[in-house]
Amino acid sequence: MNEETNTQHQKEITLPISKQKVVIKTMITGAEREIIETAPTKFSRVGERGEVVITDIAKATLAEKHALIDVYVVSIEGSPTSCRERLLKMYEDDYNTVVQAIEDVQKKTN
């Protein structure tokens, strides 16, 4: 995918508190989808009848949310460095705005 096509599948959002600009993807690849889907598996095991048993629901949920951020967030204020760590240090409203924007994109593409 060339750079021009890549930027066509992104959108910029402005955070309500800090007013920072965050760029997120509006489309992801199959490989990126697999990263998100497999993130919670670190906190699950196969049960006696072959069923998946989640061993720590809180950690599994956070692992999936972190994978969503890692895959979807392109940059914050033009920098692609440490986006998840930077988001986690933001005010809750700013963080929630980014997560909600990602969830909205997912709803449109599913």
Side-chain angles (χ1 to χ4, degrees):
M1 188 180 293
N2 67 35
E3 190 63 32
E4 182 179 318
T5 303
N6 194 21
T7 58
Q8 289 176 3
H9 300 292
Q10 298 176 356
K11 77 176 196 172
E12 183 178 88
I13 56 176
T14 301
L15 302 182
I17 304 294
S18 67
K19 304 301 182 201
Q20 293 181 79
K21 306 258 188 256
V22 177
V23 176
I24 64 171
K25 295 177 183 178
T26 57
M27 294 181 77
I28 61 172
T29 66
E32 290 169 324
R33 170 58 50 209
E34 286 182 0
I35 290 168
I36 294 165
E37 289 175 352
T38 59
T41 61
K42 295 180 265 185
F43 305 101
S44 63
R45 64 176 173 74
V46 177
E48 293 176 11
R49 292 170 287 209
E51 76 280 12
V52 175
V53 178
I54 297 176
T55 56
D56 191 328
I57 190 71
K59 287 183 181 177
T61 302
L62 278 178
E64 184 175 14
K65 189 177 284 189
H66 289 172
L68 282 168
I69 292 168
D70 291 344
V71 167
Y72 276 93
V73 177
V74 175
S75 66
I76 301 171
E77 287 295 303
S79 173
T81 306
S82 304
C83 290
R84 178 174 17 126
E85 291 78 13
R86 290 165 59 201
L87 279 172
L88 289 170
K89 292 177 183 176
M90 291 181 182
Y91 289 112
E92 182 179 21
D93 284 349
D94 283 351
Y95 174 84
N96 288 339
T97 297
V98 174
V99 171
Q100 186 61 56
I102 292 169
E103 290 172 353
D104 291 347
V105 166
Q106 284 191 298
K107 288 175 190 171
K108 290 179 182 175
T109 58
N110 287 338

